[in-house]
């Protein structure tokens, strides 16, 4: 029987801490938010993320639940043997081959994309990129409704976003998010333009659902432009600005962007608003999405 050395234990704790930190970044959650949702202290989470924490199964389950993942997902990528074999096979493919594999699986098992998705446009990306401004203008030009997914989630839950998170946590919020997505797709078969929250791409099943029913366009900008627009809006979520340091918040933003860049890049189209006027960006977006019916 192989005995774990102290060095092995340190390496394991360091890997676990890195996983917690990566999932938190993907969710766009500050350590304070994760502490509040999990019931664990910020100090404990800081120790865990630095590889120094004395971690119990209960604390791992609490952290995983707050991150809206299972403890198995936190500890390993593929918990089921069959899924592990598939994962091992796919690990050798590049990004283009993975996209092709996804299409083959979807078509083979009845999970193919909705044919009407080209009429439904979803704008993804972090706040500050210009999603709401461009989305409203694009909807007007196409003659279709404009909806904001956050508002539809509140409608689905019958309460505010803050109350949803307070009462149900991230897991409850995601349930309402999926319900809202199904409803919007059904209610707007003839077309719609929708903006989404920045963290939707970090929820694998939800993002797959979004992509199956909506043509997704990533609205992106430079970190500095993101931050300038967020500051102008007066709402620093999800950046940790409790210390009043914009530089700290900018680092948070860079970290979040880096953790999600590959996910955002799965979008059907990319529109970079950096150093572009609203008019120029709208033209770019119009060219990037499928043409509206009759145009």
């Amino acid at each position: 029987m192989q005995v774990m050395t102290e060095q092995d234990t340190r390496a394991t704790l360091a890997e676990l801490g890195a996983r917690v930190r990566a999932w938190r970044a993907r969710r766009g959650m500050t350590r304070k938010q994760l502490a509040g949702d999990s019931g664990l202290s910020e100090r404990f989470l800081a120790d865990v993320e630095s590889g120094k924490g004395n971690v119990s199964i209960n604390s791992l389950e609490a952290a995983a639940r707050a991150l809206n993942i299972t403890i198995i997902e936190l500890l390993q990528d593929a918990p089921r043997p069959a899924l592990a074999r598939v994962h091992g096979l796919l690990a050798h493919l590049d990004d283009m081959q993975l996209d092709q594999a996804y299409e083959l699986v979807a078509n083979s098992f009845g999970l193919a994309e909705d044919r009407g998705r080209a009429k439904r446009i979803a704008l993804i990306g972090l706040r500050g990129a210009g999603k709401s401004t461009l989305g409203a203008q694009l909807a007007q030009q196409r003659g279709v409704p404009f909806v904001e997914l956050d508002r539809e989630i509140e409608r689905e839950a019958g309460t505010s976003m803050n109350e949803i998170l307070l009462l149900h946590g991230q897991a409850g919020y995601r349930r309402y998010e999926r319900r809202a997505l199904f409803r919007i797709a059904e209610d707007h078969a003839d077309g719609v333009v929708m903006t989404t929250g920045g963290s939707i791409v970090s929820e694998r099943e939800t993002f797959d659902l979004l992509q199956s029913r909506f043509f997704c366009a990533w609205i992106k900008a430079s970190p500095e432009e993101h931050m300038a627009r967020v500051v102008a809006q007066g709402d620093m979520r999800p950046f940790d600005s409790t210390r009043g340091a914009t530089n700290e918040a900018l680092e948070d933003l860079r970290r979040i962007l880096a953790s999600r860049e590959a996910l955002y890049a799965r979008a059907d189209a990319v529109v970079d608003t950096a150093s572009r006027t609203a008019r120029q960006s709208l033209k770019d977006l119009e060219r990037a999405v499928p043409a509206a019916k009759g145009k």
Side-chain angles (χ1 to χ4, degrees):
M1 182 178 69
Q2 186 176 5
V3 178
M4 284 189 68
T5 65
E6 185 178 346
Q7 185 176 1
D8 291 334
T9 300
R10 287 199 300 268
T12 299
L13 290 175
E15 171 64 19
L16 178 61
R19 284 174 178 250
V20 172
R21 191 167 58 249
W23 275 106
R24 182 167 65 79
R26 185 176 291 185
R27 293 290 185 266
M29 297 175 73
T30 64
R31 192 176 293 138
K32 183 175 182 180
Q33 289 171 323
L34 179 56
D37 281 0
S38 66
L40 304 171
S41 72
E42 287 186 70
R43 176 63 180 273
F44 174 78
L45 288 172
D47 286 344
V48 170
E49 292 187 6
S50 63
K52 301 174 185 176
N54 183 13
V55 187
S56 70
I57 292 296
N58 288 339
S59 61
L60 282 181
E61 284 186 324
R65 191 164 51 248
L67 290 165
N68 197 26
I69 58 175
T70 66
I71 190 171
I72 297 299
E73 287 179 292
L74 181 61
L75 295 175
Q76 62 184 51
D77 295 327
R80 291 178 290 171
L83 189 57
R85 293 197 300 273
V86 174
H87 183 271
L89 180 64
L90 296 179
H92 299 288
L93 305 183
D94 60 31
D95 288 345
M96 183 175 295
Q97 290 171 320
L98 284 173
D99 286 338
Q100 293 172 348
Y102 177 84
E103 294 294 334
L104 287 172
V105 172
N107 288 326
S108 298
F109 295 99
L111 303 173
E113 294 175 339
D114 185 336
R115 291 185 179 180
R117 68 187 290 269
K119 299 178 182 179
R120 296 185 290 271
I121 310 299
L123 306 185
I124 66 174
L126 282 180
R127 283 190 315 109
K131 291 180 296 184
S132 294
T133 299
L134 293 176
Q137 293 175 348
L138 180 66
Q140 184 178 24
Q141 291 214 357
R142 295 169 74 91
V144 299
F146 170 66
V147 300
E148 296 178 291
L149 182 56
D150 283 353
R151 303 288 77 78
E152 296 302 311
I153 294 170
E154 291 179 329
R155 177 182 167 193
E156 195 73 31
T159 188
S160 69
M161 197 68 64
N162 287 339
E163 286 295 313
I164 296 172
L165 292 171
L166 181 63
L167 295 173
H168 307 288
Q170 285 282 332
Y173 169 80
R174 294 303 174 186
R175 285 195 297 272
Y176 285 117
E177 183 177 53
R178 286 191 289 273
R179 289 184 201 172
L181 280 175
F182 276 116
R183 176 171 52 79
I184 294 167
E186 290 177 359
D187 291 350
H188 299 287
D190 294 330
V192 68
V193 176
M194 177 181 72
T195 59
T196 68
S199 64
I200 195 170
V201 297
S202 63
E203 296 294 333
R204 186 167 46 203
E205 291 182 5
T206 307
F207 192 29
D208 285 345
L209 170 62
L210 179 72
Q211 289 195 291
S212 71
R213 286 165 171 75
F214 294 81
F215 181 96
C216 297
W218 174 19
I219 311 300
K220 63 181 294 190
S222 69
E224 292 75 16
E225 284 184 295
H226 271 294
M227 181 55 63
R229 294 167 186 171
V230 167
V231 170
Q233 293 169 8
D235 185 351
M236 295 296 288
R237 295 171 304 143
F239 314 119
D240 187 357
S241 59
T242 55
R243 287 159 291 182
T246 303
N247 286 340
E248 295 279 354
L250 185 57
E251 286 306 310
D252 283 344
L253 187 148
R254 288 195 177 104
R255 172 178 52 79
I256 293 170
L257 276 174
S259 71
R260 295 179 185 166
E261 187 168 13
L263 299 172
Y264 285 139
R266 284 176 50 189
D268 300 286
V270 180
V271 176
D272 195 337
T273 64
S275 302
R276 304 283 285 173
T277 65
R279 183 185 294 271
Q280 289 171 330
S281 294
L282 179 60
K283 290 291 185 184
D284 293 340
L285 180 57
E286 289 174 336
R287 286 191 289 266
V289 302
K293 187 176 179 180
K295 291 188 177 183

